[in-house]
Amino acid sequence: RNKDFQEVTLEKDGETVLRFAAAYGFRNIQNMVLKLKKGKFLYHFVEVLACPGGCLNGKGQAQTEDGKPDKALLTQMEEMYAAIPVRLPETNVHVQKMYQDWLEGVDSKKVQETLHTKYSAVNQTASNLDIKW
């Protein structure tokens, strides 16, 4: 939607399984909380950072020696990351070896116990720490 609010979906067989969002900056966080209160919140997982552009665009970002953001270096870094080919993890020989040697096969009980998580609803209790938006 904008550089400080991004959405991603995980689809399987053409059906959306999970919806993710990343909200950076207080305005986007406030909008997200308002949608949540109205019951119009579509996401399963959300990353929230108070800093516009995400906190990494703050002091943790590539800088010149005098502490100013280095846009040329940032552009160069983004180009390098974009040039890295995307590969499925299951095509990696090291991942395949891990499944065989450590996890006892792809469909083993150990895979289910180690890599899969079950979530259950948490009963929310009101406290004086609740934020009122």
Side-chain angles (χ1 to χ4, degrees):
R1 296 185 179 196
N2 65 55
K3 73 178 189 119
D4 287 335
F5 190 87
Q6 300 172 12
E7 301 170 292
V8 177
T9 58
L10 174 66
E11 296 179 0
K12 183 176 181 180
D13 300 327
E15 181 181 334
T16 299
V17 179
L18 294 173
R19 294 180 186 275
F20 304 88
Y24 305 141
F26 284 112
R27 179 173 293 138
N28 289 308
I29 295 169
Q30 286 176 325
N31 290 337
M32 189 180 62
V33 170
L34 290 172
K35 286 181 182 179
L36 180 63
K37 283 186 169 186
K38 292 178 181 179
K40 296 181 180 181
F41 196 71
L42 306 173
Y43 310 103
H44 298 95
F45 299 97
V46 179
E47 176 182 69
V48 177
L49 296 171
C51 311
C55 297
L56 289 179
N57 281 339
K59 288 293 184 183
Q61 196 54 269
Q63 300 176 0
T64 59
E65 288 184 22
D66 61 353
K68 295 182 180 173
D70 187 339
K71 293 192 184 278
L73 178 58
L74 180 59
T75 300
Q76 182 182 5
M77 290 167 52
E78 288 173 347
E79 288 171 356
M80 290 175 75
Y81 279 117
I84 297 172
V86 176
R87 291 180 281 170
L88 295 173
E90 55 267 23
T91 64
N92 183 306
V93 68
H94 300 291
V95 172
Q96 292 172 355
K97 184 166 175 46
M98 179 188 70
Y99 268 94
Q100 291 308 313
D101 296 350
W102 184 62
L103 294 170
E104 302 165 358
V106 177
D107 295 320
S108 72
K109 183 176 180 180
K110 193 168 184 180
V111 166
Q112 290 294 321
E113 292 171 352
T114 307
L115 301 179
H116 296 259
T117 304
K118 293 183 181 181
Y119 296 95
S120 57
V122 175
N123 293 333
Q124 296 205 351
T125 58
S127 75
N128 57 357
L129 298 176
D130 289 346
I131 297 174
K132 305 293 183 213
W133 294 89

